[in-house]
Amino acid sequence: KISIEKKTLVGFSLVSTVMVGINALSYWSFNNHRKTAEWVTHTYQVQQNLVLTHAELTEAETGQRGYLLTGEESYLELYFLSVNSINQQIQKLQTLTTDNSNQQRRIDTLKPLVTQRLAALEEVIKLRKDNGFEAALTGVKTSRGTEFMASIRKVLREMEREEATLLKERLKRHESAEMTQNLIFSIGIVFNLLVFYWLYRAISRENAQRRQAQAVVQKVNEQLEQKVQKRTAALEEANHALSDKIVAHQQTQAALQESYNLLKAVIDSNPSPIFVKDKEGRYLLMNSPGASLFNKPVEEILGKDDTALFPPEDAAQIKASDSSIITSGICSFLEETVFVQGEWRTYLTTKNVYRDSQGNILGLVGFYRDITHLKQAQDALRQANEGLEQKVLARTGELVQANAELARSNTELEHFAYVASHDLREPLRKIKSYTELLAEDYQGQLDTKADKYMAYITDGASRMQALISDLLIYSQVGKGELTVEPTDLKVIVNRSLDDLNLAINENNAEITVKPLPTLTVNPQQMTQLFQNLIANALKFRNKTAASILIQAELKQEQWLFSVQDNGIGMKPQYLERIFVIFQRLHSRDKYPGTGIGLAICRKIVERHGGRIWVESEEGIGTTFYFTLPVQ
């Protein structure tokens, strides 16, 4: 039989050997796990830089197109910022992919393509600056910029596919390294627990033998009481043997305590929380990193279950997973999110059962690995991608809007050019002048029909001249750069009322002006805006005396103005039509005019960054609303 001393020595040697092996394997596994994690992070950085490179190219195109369509210098700022950022992103990509010869070759292909694409964009910008919109548009049509951009996207997609493949492989290696590390710890802990259990059983058997020996000694003592003198020497010898066994037992207890201290030092040195539970979920062992999660000493945790450490819902979830593993007896890897120290943390948990020498399950062994930062990084990357996609969509929407505005502006300009050219105004002036001379010189010499025709000609020429004059005013509203200055709109309204004083008195109109703000606007266009709206209210008055209310209200970083009257009103289907150039709701005989006044109002408001609309009820009155920004 092997003595208890030898058993203890063997057990201690096994534990020490396993601990050394576990530490070596743990160190190797930790380095491998760290390296794979660094490669995963490196791949995410490359993917993000690829996305940013594509986004900045799109931003550069957006700036160039914005400048091409509008001629505004603010779009060039966006263009040049994007160009600088593109070069930085490509340099970062080249630095990040120095380990990848395939990606380096693609970057060598990408650089000249980007240079050619930016050169094409720069050429169109220069054409727009030097020769105007039509020349720049021709340059866009003849440029190979679209081909360059298609080639750039192809290279970027190839790089993204390779990085996605690398990410998949590196994540797989990262998970494998993590599983290896967990397995090493689990095997070591289970092995040491088995060795300790074996030592415990050996000591228990030794104690049983000692108790049996003590019983035998007691019986012998009773039998030898009558032979004390004869057997004193033998009894002293037996006592010495028993003392030796007690010393050996004490030495065994000390060795066992040293082994326990060594095991505790090993698991406490691991940064991840490690625990051992019995089948009822009570903690039998917990290392220091695990106890620090709950701001409790280890002694306060041992003997308690998860209800003392976690909120009720989390404790119930953990208990359910523990029960499932104990029932199946299979090692499991779980992702658990729990509320710890006032915040939600996510852990990758490894759990396995441990058994006695007969194979009966005694409880659970496991450890947590905090992956909260990894989850947060994944969420941040996903949100960044979503934000970038929304930004691209928003930019695209702004470019649909710009194109629509350009198309509308072009249509109006073409219509104006057709009607209001200089060659048209001069023949009209001659027709009117010579018709008036003809009427003066030959009045009474021609028949009544001829006089009537000449009157028609004169009247038509006068209306045409008025129409051309209004068209010139309309075209001037959006022409050139908008000059603005701080303007008291109350003064502007009073100036408009002075200009309309004769019409106000003729219609016995009552006009109320509430306090109005001072804004940075074009004073001439504001005068024209209020004068057109007030004149419109006077023209379309009801049979009763005209009553007009002008006021303003600050709402959500913009001023809301209203001009309200008690006139004839209009039907709902005509509310948008009245702002279209040349659109009239009444005949010229009843209400004179060219149908341009409200179109001019709309152009003025929109050029100042606001919008204009109307609300009306037939027979009750009309209210025109428009907004102007605070700044």
Side-chain angles (χ1 to χ4, degrees), residues 187-251:
I187 292 173
I189 291 172
V190 171
F191 178 81
N192 285 313
L193 287 174
L194 291 175
V195 172
F196 284 138
Y197 181 74
W198 175 70
L199 289 174
Y200 168 76
R201 296 283 295 175
I203 293 172
S204 297
R205 285 195 297 271
E206 182 67 20
N207 287 336
Q209 292 175 0
R210 184 171 63 84
R211 286 192 295 271
Q212 291 176 359
Q214 288 176 344
V216 171
V217 170
Q218 180 66 29
K219 184 177 181 180
V220 171
N221 285 335
E222 292 175 356
Q223 294 175 353
L224 294 179
E225 282 181 353
Q226 299 175 357
K227 303 177 181 180
V228 172
Q229 298 299 326
K230 296 181 182 179
R231 303 296 301 270
T232 299
L235 182 59
E236 289 177 353
E237 185 178 354
N239 285 336
H240 283 300
L242 182 60
S243 297
D244 291 340
K245 287 186 177 181
I246 293 173
V247 171
H249 175 69
Q250 291 174 344
Q251 292 174 347

Side-chain angles (χ1 to χ4, degrees), residues 49-296:
N49 279 3
L50 286 170
V51 172
L52 290 176
T53 300
H54 186 270
E56 292 299 341
L57 281 168
T58 305
E59 287 284 285
E61 288 184 333
T62 300
Q64 184 252 24
R65 289 171 184 162
Y67 178 72
L68 171 65
L69 296 173
T70 65
E72 294 184 5
E73 295 290 333
S74 59
Y75 286 100
L76 291 182
E77 296 178 5
L78 174 63
Y79 167 77
F80 288 118
L81 287 174
S82 299
V83 169
N84 292 334
S85 180
I86 288 168
N87 294 327
Q88 295 174 4
Q89 294 302 329
I90 293 177
Q91 185 61 38
K92 288 181 182 177
L93 281 174
Q94 190 157 28
T95 302
L96 287 171
T97 59
T98 52
D99 61 299
N100 191 325
S101 59
N102 291 334
Q103 295 293 54
Q104 288 288 301
R105 286 195 297 271
R106 292 187 181 102
I107 291 175
D108 291 339
T109 303
L110 180 65
K111 280 183 176 179
L113 289 173
V114 171
T115 301
Q116 291 169 334
R117 178 54 179 152
L118 293 179
L121 294 177
E122 187 72 25
E123 181 182 358
V124 173
I125 291 173
K126 188 174 184 305
L127 286 172
R128 181 66 170 88
K129 281 184 177 180
D130 298 340
N131 302 322
F133 174 78
E134 293 297 335
L137 183 61
T138 303
V140 170
K141 294 178 179 178
T142 58
S143 172
R144 295 181 59 203
T146 303
E147 298 177 10
F148 294 143
M149 194 60 191
S151 299
I152 290 170
R153 290 194 179 98
K154 180 180 178 182
V155 174
L156 291 176
R157 284 196 296 271
E158 290 174 355
M159 295 182 72
E160 288 171 354
R161 282 196 293 269
E162 174 142 347
E163 290 301 324
T165 301
L166 290 174
L167 178 61
K168 184 176 180 181
E169 295 174 356
R170 290 168 179 172
L171 283 173
K172 186 176 180 180
R173 290 200 296 269
H174 180 68
E175 293 174 358
S176 176
E178 193 164 34
M179 291 177 65
T180 301
Q181 185 178 10
N182 296 341
L183 184 61
I184 290 171
F185 276 108
S186 299
I187 292 173
I189 291 172
V190 171
F191 178 81
N192 285 313
L193 287 174
L194 291 175
V195 172
F196 284 138
Y197 181 74
W198 175 70
L199 289 174
Y200 168 76
R201 296 283 295 175
I203 293 172
S204 297
R205 285 195 297 271
E206 182 67 20
N207 287 336
Q209 292 175 0
R210 184 171 63 84
R211 286 192 295 271
Q212 291 176 359
Q214 288 176 344
V216 171
V217 170
Q218 180 66 29
K219 184 177 181 180
V220 171
N221 285 335
E222 292 175 356
Q223 294 175 353
L224 294 179
E225 282 181 353
Q226 299 175 357
K227 303 177 181 180
V228 172
Q229 298 299 326
K230 296 181 182 179
R231 303 296 301 270
T232 299
L235 182 59
E236 289 177 353
E237 185 178 354
N239 285 336
H240 283 300
L242 182 60
S243 297
D244 291 340
K245 287 186 177 181
I246 293 173
V247 171
H249 175 69
Q250 291 174 344
Q251 292 174 347
T252 300
Q253 291 278 10
L256 185 62
Q257 183 63 43
E258 289 177 1
S259 297
Y260 176 81
N261 291 340
L262 177 61
L263 175 63
K264 189 173 187 305
V266 170
I267 65 174
D268 283 344
S269 66
N270 191 297
S272 299
I274 301 175
F275 63 86
V276 178
K277 298 180 184 179
D278 61 16
K279 293 177 68 173
E280 287 69 37
R282 295 186 293 265
Y283 285 93
L284 302 180
L285 180 68
M286 173 74 77
N287 68 347
S288 298
S292 66
L293 285 178
F294 310 102
N295 288 328
K296 294 178 181 291

Side-chain angles (χ1 to χ4, degrees), residues 105 126 170 204 211 406 413 424-425 536 556 625:
R105 286 195 297 271
K126 188 174 184 305
R170 290 168 179 172
S204 297
R211 286 192 295 271
L406 181 62
L413 288 175
L424 181 61
R425 295 182 67 200
N536 193 76
Q556 298 180 351
Y625 295 94

